[in-house]
Amino acid sequence: MKPVKMKPVEMKPVKMKPVRAHTRKRRLPSLPESTAQTLETVAELWSEGRRQKLPLYLFLALCFNLVLAPIVYAAADGELSQTQSWALGVLGLSVIALSVYLFCVMFAPEKFS
Amino acid sequence: MQSHPASDASLREPQGSRDSRRQPPKVNLSGLYQRAVKEAFVKLDPRLVVSNPVMFVVWLGTLVTLLVTINPNLFGTLQADTNQQRLLNGIITLILFFTVLFANFAEAVAEGRGKAQADSLRATRSDTIARKVLPNGSTQEVISTELRRGDQVKVVAGDMIPADGEVVQGVASVDESAITGESAPVLKQPGTDISSSVTGGTRLLSDELLLRITQDPGQGFIDRMIALVEGAKRTKTPNEIALTVLLAVLTQVFLIVVATVPPIAGYIASFVTEILGSEAGNSLRTGSSIAILISLLVALIPTTIGGLLSAIGIAGMDRVAQFNVIATSGRAVEACGDVNTLVLDKTGTITLGNRLADEFISTNGNSIQEVANICLAASIFDETPEGRSIVQLAEGLGAKVSFDSKTAEGVEFSARTRMSGTNVAEQEFRKGAVDAIKSFVRSRGGQVSETVDQAYERVSRLGGTPLAVCKGNEIYGVIYLKDIVKSGLRERFDQLRRMGVKTIMLTGDNSITASVIAEEAGVDDFIAEATPEDKIDVIRREQAEGNLVAMTGDGTNDAPALAQANVGVAMNSGTQAAKEAANMVDLDSDPTKLIDLVTIGKQLLITRGALTTFSIANDIAKYFAIIPTIFAAAGIGALNIMGLKSAQSAIVSALIYNALIIPALIPLALQGVKFRPLTADQLLQRNILIYGVGGIIAPFVAIKLIDLVLPISF
Amino acid sequence: MLQGWMQIALTLLIVVAITPWFGNYMARVFQDHSTLLDPVLNPVERFLYALSGVRAREDMTGWQYARAILYSNLVMAVFIFTVFMLQGLLPFNPTGIGAPTWDLALHTAISFVTNTNQQHYSGETAFSYFSQFAALGFMMFTSAATGIAVSMAFIRGLTGRPLGNFYSDLTRSITRVLLPISIAGAVILMAAGIPETLAGPAVVPTLEDPAIRQAIARGPVAHYEIIKELGENGGGFFAINSAHPFENPNGFTNLIEIVALLSVPTALIYTYGIFANSLKQAWLVYGMVMAIFVGFIIITAIGEYQGNPAVNTLLGGQQPNLEGKEIRFGWAQSALFAVATTGTMCGAVNALHDSFMPNGGFVTLSNLFLQIVWGGQGTGTAYLFTYLILAVFVTGLMVGRTPEFLGRKIEKREVVLASFLLLLVHPIAILIPSAITLAVPDVSGISNPGFHGLSQVVYEYASAAANNGSGFEGLGDATPWWNLTASFSLLVGRYVPIIGLLLLADSLSRKQVVPMTSGTLRTDTRLFTGVTAGVILILGALTFFPVLALGPIAEAFQIAKGIG
């Protein structure tokens, strides 16, 4: 009986990438310490942002909601305040995201073990 | 006929009922629940919850209800008392939170038991000082973790064996109770397949051994067992995956159902406002507020099975471990339930390992006394239980040897000659398989009379093993070696048959003997005069017919068959090769346990099916509790057949039931549904009645009771 | 009252009586055994295959079969769409009807290619004779034959055979099943008084005042009528469908039509029994469906018989509800027709479903949700056995083995396909568009607001998704919104399940058969059939409980209380 190889879970723990940060630091030796640190952080965030897709999607969803919320507000015919429309838009998008997630589980359940 | 590891088998013959025999290693379960509670909170990490679709939905729902607890009008202004809304939403949030917590707790308890089991195994793992034998022959004391594969170590009485290894030299008894729970010591000696391998963590009781280490540290058998029992490498089994799909589909369906309620309810509400006034309309709108919709969603999705699914799987592994069997994967445990053919070795599994001489049959008109003398002479150097039983029987008949045993010399049994005996001066006493002795006699110029064949047949018909004895070129008689079928096997095979499991017995005996034993033991089929190659052929043939095959084995030549079988159980006493090839290892080296494994596998599947059915059947009551009450203003209050007090009370009752049913069913999930050896139809009937019909009725009763007790009145 | 129940019982008896014969005949046709019509049809089929270059003996895989269906249906849809748009220029157009709007033509094309025949138009004023018989009539054969082909491929896969060849199955469904019966049926219907003519509307003086002349629409109706029922098409030649005296003039034609529309889905269960070599299971499943069917008929018929309490108060006594019904059919045959036509996804109507009591609304909606109370042409039978597979998976674990159906293990792939197409397609195709329609202001076109209006909207999408095609009516549905959203439901409700069913059959046919032992869950027992009914009820119907509760159930309580 061969054990079936499962793909590792797609969740990546948040890890720093010291190597890249280090090279940045060497290229900018003359800058004051605080600026170098800031740049380091930015570099980290950038590299992190390229691996972690979730924050990006969240950001895009919130941007999309800026378009969605006024539509909800208009459709509600004055029954909803602007905040409520915005919240409702986020909720609707979350439901759609949840639905997409459930489809992923349905078609690739191995990834979620 | 040194056919089997006599020394080993005689020391640990399974006797009496399994329960009295089994003494699993002591597992420390104290503090299990405290740790599980802590673990339940740790498991709230969304990155962990995301692997369980049902609980992930509940988790997200909790987040949203928390938001509407803080601001009840977040998603729309409700025409109701804000504080009451906040209180209701707060209660809902709390119950949802506990639902997730309970599910995590169930998993944590199951894992905790596995960990406790692993800890007790790990206790044997404490670093010991080993005497490493250096190439120059001197010994050096090293810590056991520094040993590498191929190193040789010396172990003396009282020492802990430092790592898995093979006996190179020496004969000694070993206490393996730390891993097997069996207190009787086991004899270890080099050369033989079975009794030459030792396991790290066991203790040498007498004498000393020279071992060659076969595993690097951390790779040893116990290390792997610990990892498996702890669930470190747990992956979902095929059945679990299929079930996860179904649960995800159901969750998706109910997500759509609930998400489409607001427009529908809103449409109805504006209509109701027109004909019945704004109060009814507002009641409908409040009834479909976000918190209530999330409650409806959580009540409808299969949280019960979703929360317990992984606990059931872990507990299945754990139950196998309690049986002193280590499975290499959950998949293997699950496959046990699907097995429909068991391939069993006759010796050691169906019959007691050693056959005993029961009778001497003379041939060629020799007297019984003469035969007994020859048998004794041929067996005095035979140390196997069979040999000793021949000596015993012969001495009981008053036989004596006619020579000084110091002048004699023993002839070892070998698989090639298939006989053993004694040489005294020019005299050759031999005993062995009848055809082997026949050709031996012929090679010495002797004749074989028909009486030998008659005796052979007679013994075979009785289900015994015939051994011929000869002196020089004359066959004097035949020894009737009786096989003893283990007690209680017939009933177990009957049970197996009822469950649809076929048993095939494999034996090296001739077909007449085999058929008699098969008849006596009640197996369905047998393969006589089987070689190890036959084993794999039988397995392939059965698999080609679509059967899942389970077998046990211990020798190196069993390894291919163990690998081919769907469930291969290696004996712990077996060789490393056999253990590597198998997907389970029985620490007690009791081949009969295969039957128990089938039961455990079935139990695991039944538990999963029962809780799934229960969970889905619960939906009827939840629908009838929630929908009519929250939409009572639409005039469907009459559907509230339970007579629940109010929408709020109905929601809270249904959710409380939904949450509490998880911890209530934890014992069932961990221990498994009680298994009865019934046919599939009987099982279905029984379980449908309990978990299907019960699953429909129980929530009606429970929700009504909770509703009665609840002091909620808005 | 007794007469009505007798009519219902007699009709059902006839259906049961012809099931074994018809089921056996279809099994022979699709197992390539010799049948009566071989001498005539074998050369015809050979000619057709040679002409089209189809290698009819070549088995297809699930994907190949599905692709063949998709491509051929696409070609047909484009063809009939073109015919509609050009009908003003084409012959056989005595009344000079011009092209319909593009969205109506699109909806109609999709609706007919999916065997739904949902009509957002009135046949006599929207389409020419040519469109009726060359486009719509043509689709009535091919879309029905597609359904039969799917069920055959599914049954073959389920029983471990190769799926077969779509083009061959399509051809044989038409030449061996649909066409012969339609020819015979059309002749009988003509004899019973249904017109079959290419002449334009008859213009006659009215009886009241001979000076006033009235145009009476007619056309090639008889042949259209029989395939409309036999193929579960349901698209009427006239707007009011089988309630029209030229489509369904009397009790005899009504009987023929009900039997015709029930005959294929009922017989296919028997056909399965022959393929699976388990007539016992076939009859058990048949019995289960029949029980649900009879239960539904009783619920509907009682509602119609008891009539509307509000009307009864005015009349001063209990009268059957005859609003929207033809007096010649009465409450019993109207109720039977309604349950049969929604159950089988035929969609022909001989009474206005909108005017049924809430009981009828509840039952017709449930029929559309379940899709297995006989079910659509071919697909219904496949759904039915997919439900069996799902029931095996849910409860089969309880016997302690990986669940198997007909010796084939139900594993992840099967669960994904079965649960997806049974449980998820419908909510997606019905609930989501219904919710959107109700949420977006001013698109619904509801004529009777309230609970009934909800039923109207949900019914329209359910009818589209289930490929039924009947209308609750009373809905202003000839708008671009309705045409396009209903088209979405039509396509999702037709092709997603067909692909799913074929892939499911394909994966089952490739499985190694596990031998039957006493440890195997037997699916041909009463117990298991009962379990299946439970699974259908809980998983299939409860999904729609909120909609049913706020629609027909709330309406029933409302009428009972006399509000509104």
Side-chain angles (χ1 to χ4, degrees):
Chain A
M1 297 295 291
K2 289 176 207 114
V4 172
K5 271 188 198 138
M6 302 281 177
K7 281 191 190 135
V9 185
E10 291 288 310
M11 295 300 309
K12 284 167 197 135
V14 183
K15 250 188 265 168
M16 300 294 169
K17 254 196 162 178
V19 182
R20 179 172 287 209
H22 192 66
T23 53
R24 292 275 159 132
K25 203 173 178 179
R26 243 191 295 163
R27 264 203 282 150
L28 305 161
S30 58
L31 285 172
E33 196 69 356
S34 61
T35 319
Q37 266 176 356
T38 315
L39 277 175
E40 210 174 293
T41 318
V42 169
E44 260 168 27
L45 280 174
W46 180 250
S47 71
E48 199 56 40
R50 301 187 72 157
R51 288 193 298 120
Q52 291 264 345
K53 290 276 182 277
L54 193 63
L56 179 71
Y57 291 150
L58 279 179
F59 178 70
L60 287 178
L62 288 178
C63 288
F64 180 66
N65 193 40
L66 291 178
V67 181
L68 192 65
I71 299 175
V72 174
Y73 182 72
D77 219 10
E79 276 179 40
L80 294 174
S81 73
Q82 285 177 352
T83 323
Q84 286 169 340
S85 309
W86 187 85
L88 215 51
V90 171
L91 185 67
L93 288 176
S94 325
V95 170
I96 292 168
L98 187 57
S99 185
V100 170
Y101 155 80
L102 287 171
F103 269 114
C104 292
V105 179
M106 274 165 59
F107 289 108
E110 298 86 358
K111 288 189 179 168
F112 294 87
S113 56
Chain B
M1 282 285 279
Q2 193 177 355
S3 62
H4 232 267
S7 47
D8 192 69
S10 63
L11 275 170
R12 51 154 64 136
E13 208 42 79
Q15 263 140 22
S17 76
R18 265 172 301 123
D19 293 314
S20 65
R21 205 170 74 227
R22 215 156 48 83
Q23 303 160 331
K26 279 209 173 57
V27 174
N28 181 14
L29 286 176
S30 67
L32 172 69
Y33 294 103
Q34 286 93 313
R35 262 178 288 145
V37 170
K38 216 161 80 190
E39 194 66 9
F41 281 92
V42 174
K43 282 170 183 286
L44 287 173
D45 183 342
R47 285 172 298 183
L48 296 176
V49 185
V50 81
S51 67
N52 183 339
V54 180
M55 279 305 144
F56 186 58
V57 170
V58 182
W59 189 93
L60 284 181
T62 316
L63 223 57
V64 179
T65 53
L66 184 66
L67 291 179
V68 286
T69 306
I70 297 165
N71 177 8
N73 293 327
L74 181 63
F75 299 108
T77 314
L78 295 167
Q79 304 299 322
D81 185 336
T82 306
N83 284 330
Q84 278 186 4
Q85 282 298 317
R86 183 168 288 144
L87 178 61
L88 177 68
N89 295 351
I91 294 172
I92 290 173
T93 310
L94 209 62
I95 303 173
L96 296 192
F97 180 68
F98 270 100
T99 311
V100 183
L101 219 50
F102 285 149
N104 288 347
F105 178 72
E107 196 178 284
V109 170
E111 279 175 357
R113 285 160 68 118
K115 280 210 181 81
Q117 198 116 24
D119 288 343
S120 75
L121 287 169
R122 196 176 278 128
T124 65
R125 208 71 208 105
S126 51
D127 291 347
T128 47
I129 300 297
R131 292 181 192 81
K132 185 173 165 185
V133 181
L134 300 174
N136 60 16
S138 63
T139 60
Q140 179 199 358
E141 296 211 338
V142 295
I143 296 170
S144 62
T145 50
E146 287 172 14
L147 291 171
R148 289 290 174 274
R149 198 183 171 133
D151 286 350
Q152 294 210 340
V153 292
K154 193 177 201 177
V155 190
V156 299
D159 276 2
M160 193 76 92
I161 292 176
D164 288 6
E166 224 174 329
V167 180
V168 179
Q169 198 184 312
V171 178
S173 58
V174 174
D175 173 15
E176 293 194 329
S177 61
I179 54 166
T180 66
E182 183 69 42
S183 52
V186 185
L187 199 66
K188 296 288 180 187
Q189 58 193 14
T192 53
D193 248 9
I194 313 299
S195 52
S196 67
S197 76
V198 290
T199 310
T202 55
R203 192 175 291 279
L204 199 66
L205 290 181
S206 66
D207 307 291
E208 58 174 60
L209 292 174
L210 184 65
L211 306 175
R212 189 175 59 243
I213 302 302
T214 53
Q215 290 293 342
D216 287 334
Q219 298 292 304
F221 189 57
I222 286 194
D223 299 285
R224 278 180 293 150
M225 272 163 39
I226 291 171
L228 287 165
V229 171
E230 272 189 331
K233 284 193 208 157
R234 191 164 56 83
T235 47
K236 281 185 181 156
T237 62
N239 251 311
E240 253 178 309
I241 286 177
L243 215 45
T244 308
V245 169
L246 181 72
L247 299 185
V249 171
L250 288 173
T251 309
Q252 180 83 269
V253 167
F254 290 121
L255 182 67
I256 294 176
V257 169
V258 172
T260 53
V261 162
I264 293 173
Y267 169 75
I268 295 294
S270 48
F271 166 71
V272 168
T273 310
E274 263 172 49
I275 61 163
L276 294 174
S278 62
E279 198 179 321
N282 286 336
S283 149
L284 270 180
R285 286 204 184 88
T286 319
S288 53
S289 74
I290 297 298
I292 287 189
L293 290 179
I294 288 172
S295 310
L296 179 63
L297 175 64
V298 170
L300 292 180
I301 60 176
T303 43
T304 314
I305 181 68
L308 293 172
L309 189 59
S310 58
I312 296 170
I314 301 167
M317 293 279 281
D318 195 41
R319 266 202 304 285
V320 170
Q322 282 169 22
F323 251 87
N324 260 359
V325 176
I326 300 300
T328 55
S329 68
R331 174 185 274 257
V333 180
E334 201 174 88
C336 285
D338 277 336
V339 160
N340 31 22
T341 303
L342 292 186
V343 175
L344 302 168
D345 276 326
K346 185 198 78 175
T347 312
T349 309
I350 292 172
T351 60
L352 297 177
N354 34 25
R355 291 160 293 190
L356 303 177
D358 195 59
E359 192 188 343
F360 298 137
I361 303 160
S362 73
T363 56
N364 285 346
N366 296 305
S367 75
I368 291 293
Q369 195 62 44
E370 262 177 302
V371 178
N373 284 340
I374 304 295
C375 289
L376 184 61
S379 305
I380 48 170
F381 289 102
D382 187 350
E383 281 302 316
T384 66
E386 284 139 25
R388 274 177 297 185
S389 79
I390 293 170
V391 170
Q392 214 173 358
L393 181 65
E395 281 172 352
L397 291 170
K400 287 199 172 61
V401 281
S402 53
F403 48 84
D404 183 358
S405 58
K406 279 170 194 149
T407 66
E409 164 195 17
V411 177
E412 281 267 333
F413 174 86
S414 83
R416 197 178 52 78
T417 60
R418 290 192 294 147
M419 56 180 143
S420 64
T422 313
N423 284 346
V424 186
E426 290 302 298
Q427 287 178 311
E428 293 175 311
F429 299 91
R430 291 287 184 276
K431 73 167 198 296
V434 175
D435 51 341
I437 295 292
K438 272 188 193 170
S439 51
F440 176 80
V441 167
R442 287 206 188 93
S443 74
R444 299 287 185 275
Q447 297 285 314
V448 180
S449 88
E450 276 181 16
T451 49
V452 175
D453 287 332
Q454 285 162 5
Y456 168 87
E457 287 220 348
R458 206 193 112 203
V459 174
S460 295
R461 270 184 217 299
L462 290 169
T465 307
L467 289 186
V469 283
C470 69
K471 177 182 165 190
N473 61 4
E474 192 194 347
I475 297 180
Y476 273 73
V478 170
I479 304 168
Y480 170 20
L481 282 182
K482 194 174 180 180
D483 253 329
I484 297 158
V485 174
K486 287 183 185 172
S487 63
L489 269 189
R490 215 191 155 79
E491 292 71 35
R492 307 205 69 187
F493 288 148
D494 282 344
Q495 289 178 358
L496 284 172
R497 199 168 303 118
R498 233 175 298 146
M499 303 187 299
V501 181
K502 180 168 82 175
T503 42
I504 299 179
M505 179 181 87
L506 278 177
T507 170
D509 292 340
N510 65 62
S511 60
I512 304 171
T513 310
S515 71
V516 175
I517 299 281
E519 176 68 25
E520 196 182 335
V523 295
D524 298 298
D525 200 357
F526 65 88
I527 310 284
E529 285 157 11
T531 62
E533 291 73 46
D534 285 342
K535 221 174 200 172
I536 196 161
D537 288 343
V538 171
I539 293 172
R540 289 216 178 103
R541 193 192 68 209
E542 288 292 321
Q543 286 175 334
E545 285 171 17
N547 290 314
L548 258 67
V549 185
M551 67 161 287
T552 59
D554 46 17
T556 299
N557 54 15
D558 283 336
L562 282 169
Q564 176 74 32
N566 303 80
V567 176
V569 183
M571 301 297 103
N572 189 38
S573 57
T575 60
Q576 203 65 37
K579 287 193 229 173
E580 300 276 347
N583 42 20
M584 292 201 196
V585 177
D586 178 10
L587 301 177
D588 295 341
S589 302
D590 171 10
T592 331
K593 227 184 246 173
L594 199 51
I595 302 170
D596 299 310
L597 289 176
V598 171
T599 315
I600 292 177
K602 285 196 179 296
Q603 205 181 17
L604 176 69
L605 295 177
I606 292 175
T607 310
R608 246 181 234 149
L611 290 183
T612 308
T613 308
F614 184 82
S615 191
I616 293 173
N618 275 346
D619 271 0
I620 298 184
K622 291 174 190 165
Y623 256 128
F624 272 93
I626 297 177
I627 296 284
T629 49
I630 63 176
F631 296 139
I636 55 170
L639 282 183
N640 180 5
I641 48 178
M642 283 181 266
L644 303 179
K645 280 187 295 208
S646 66
Q648 291 83 352
S649 172
I651 288 276
V652 171
S653 307
L655 283 183
I656 289 180
Y657 169 78
N658 201 44
L660 288 183
I661 196 73
I662 295 176
L665 288 175
I666 287 178
L668 185 73
L670 294 188
Q671 277 149 33
V673 170
K674 195 165 159 47
F675 181 75
R676 283 152 215 271
L678 302 171
T679 64
D681 288 338
Q682 291 165 322
L683 271 176
L684 180 69
Q685 193 164 5
R686 202 189 136 75
N687 289 331
I688 274 288
L689 206 64
I690 300 176
Y691 301 100
V693 179
I696 294 175
I697 297 169
F700 273 106
V701 177
I703 292 176
K704 177 68 190 167
L705 285 178
I706 298 172
D707 178 69
L708 285 177
V709 177
L710 272 188
I712 286 186
S713 57
F714 288 98
Chain C
M1 179 188 183
L2 193 64
Q3 191 197 9
W5 293 115
M6 293 286 286
Q7 287 168 348
I8 291 170
L10 188 67
T11 315
L12 295 184
L13 271 179
I14 294 172
V15 170
V16 175
I18 61 170
T19 293
W21 172 81
F22 194 26
N24 192 27
Y25 173 73
M26 283 198 280
R28 292 189 69 84
V29 167
F30 291 101
Q31 286 177 321
D32 286 345
H33 292 323
S34 63
T35 49
L36 194 64
L37 294 169
D38 279 356
V40 187
L41 292 177
N42 282 349
V44 173
E45 285 170 8
R46 272 200 298 275
F47 172 73
L48 285 173
Y49 295 149
L51 191 71
S52 55
V54 167
R55 287 185 291 275
R57 297 267 155 207
E58 248 169 49
D59 286 319
M60 291 175 168
T61 64
W63 260 119
Q64 286 172 332
Y65 208 103
R67 273 207 307 271
I69 290 178
L70 293 177
Y71 291 153
S72 60
N73 281 7
L74 180 68
V75 170
M76 290 188 254
V78 169
F79 167 69
I80 63 170
F81 180 78
T82 318
V83 169
F84 296 152
M85 296 313 285
L86 299 178
Q87 67 176 358
L89 310 171
L90 293 166
F92 302 112
N93 190 357
T95 45
I97 300 169
T101 60
W102 70 271
D103 54 280
L104 180 66
L106 181 71
H107 174 262
T108 309
I110 291 173
S111 157
F112 274 74
V113 87
T114 54
N115 193 229
T116 312
N117 300 18
Q118 193 169 39
Q119 294 166 301
H120 288 171
Y121 62 88
S122 293
E124 49 277 60
T125 55
F127 288 115
S128 69
Y129 287 171
F130 187 79
S131 295
Q132 293 262 30
F133 69 69
L136 301 181
F138 158 69
M139 282 316 309
M140 284 189 165
F141 281 96
T142 49
S143 67
T146 303
I148 296 181
V150 168
S151 72
M152 280 306 139
F154 185 76
I155 290 174
R156 288 197 193 108
L158 209 57
T159 52
R161 297 170 170 86
L163 301 195
N165 183 298
F166 169 67
Y167 299 111
S168 156
D169 286 341
L170 184 76
T171 312
R172 291 175 81 83
S173 302
I174 295 175
T175 57
R176 311 276 167 144
V177 182
L178 299 174
L179 208 50
I181 298 177
S182 291
I183 293 172
V187 171
I188 294 173
L189 289 182
M190 282 195 297
I194 298 184
E196 177 78 23
T197 174
L198 287 174
V203 180
V204 291
T206 56
L207 292 175
E208 286 166 10
D209 179 0
I212 303 171
R213 301 173 77 79
Q214 180 190 11
I216 298 176
R218 55 185 178 177
V221 185
H223 84 275
Y224 197 89
E225 192 63 24
I226 184 70
I227 188 61
K228 179 185 95 183
E229 318 295 352
L230 185 67
E232 318 302 358
N233 293 294
F237 196 91
F238 303 109
I240 58 166
N241 214 302
S242 285
H244 194 288
F246 282 174
E247 285 206 30
N248 192 2
N250 49 46
F252 176 69
T253 56
N254 196 52
L255 175 70
I256 298 274
E257 289 182 12
I258 292 180
V259 171
L261 69 86
L262 284 171
S263 59
V264 175
T266 48
L268 276 175
I269 298 177
Y270 192 90
T271 309
Y272 159 83
I274 293 176
F275 270 83
N277 204 10
S278 172
L279 284 179
K280 185 189 174 197
Q281 179 165 39
W283 280 120
L284 278 168
V285 171
Y286 192 93
M288 173 187 82
V289 179
M290 184 60 102
I292 301 176
F293 186 56
V294 169
F296 278 177
I297 294 173
I298 291 173
I299 293 174
T300 311
I302 284 181
E304 298 313 304
Y305 179 73
Q306 288 176 339
N308 189 332
V311 177
N312 288 348
T313 324
L314 291 176
L315 293 174
Q318 197 195 52
Q319 289 291 328
N321 169 33
L322 290 178
E323 183 199 312
K325 291 191 180 55
E326 295 294 303
I327 297 299
R328 62 183 185 281
F329 304 131
W331 60 271
Q333 290 193 57
S334 298
L336 173 62
F337 201 108
V339 180
T341 194
T342 48
T344 58
M345 304 309 151
C346 177
V349 289
N350 77 350
L352 194 59
H353 289 183
D354 192 45
S355 300
F356 271 73
M357 297 305 295
N359 295 25
F362 175 81
V363 165
T364 49
L365 273 173
S366 303
N367 264 334
L368 300 181
F369 295 151
L370 289 179
Q371 305 193 82
I372 52 93
V373 189
W374 307 119
Q377 186 90 332
T379 47
T381 315
Y383 281 135
L384 190 54
F385 287 98
T386 312
Y387 262 119
L388 244 63
I389 291 173
L390 200 61
V392 165
F393 180 72
V394 173
T395 58
L397 280 174
M398 284 196 293
V399 306
R401 279 171 70 130
T402 300
E404 18 185 280
F405 183 67
L406 298 180
R408 290 170 181 82
K409 281 198 158 59
I410 309 300
E411 287 161 312
K412 181 202 136 196
R413 192 178 160 78
E414 289 72 43
V415 175
V416 171
L417 290 168
S419 59
F420 180 80
L421 66 94
L422 282 184
L423 305 179
L424 207 46
V425 171
H426 245 41
I428 290 174
I430 299 174
L431 292 180
I432 293 179
S434 297
I436 295 173
T437 301
L438 290 170
V440 179
D442 309 323
V443 295
S444 64
I446 291 169
S447 65
N448 188 350
F451 308 125
H452 197 80
L454 176 64
S455 300
Q456 286 180 336
V457 170
V458 173
Y459 192 102
E460 191 67 11
Y461 287 115
S463 171
N467 299 134
N468 179 286
S470 68
F472 215 47
E473 300 312 333
L475 200 62
D477 54 14
T479 61
W481 170 264
W482 275 110
N483 283 333
L484 297 179
T485 53
S487 294
F488 161 80
S489 294
L490 286 167
L491 291 172
V492 172
R494 177 70 167 180
Y495 294 107
V496 174
I498 282 184
I499 296 170
L501 288 169
L502 289 170
L503 293 182
L504 179 62
D506 195 42
S507 98
L508 282 173
S509 74
R510 286 161 204 278
K511 295 217 167 207
Q512 194 186 26
V513 177
V514 181
M516 188 93 168
T517 65
S518 60
T520 313
L521 172 70
R522 294 187 68 91
T523 52
D524 57 349
T525 59
R526 272 183 220 178
L527 174 68
F528 184 76
T529 312
V531 169
T532 309
V535 168
I536 292 174
L537 178 77
I538 295 177
L539 292 183
L542 276 189
T543 310
F544 297 98
F545 185 70
V547 172
L548 286 172
L550 288 178
I553 294 177
E555 191 189 354
F557 284 120
Q558 183 199 17
I559 289 178
K561 281 186 202 144
I563 311 165

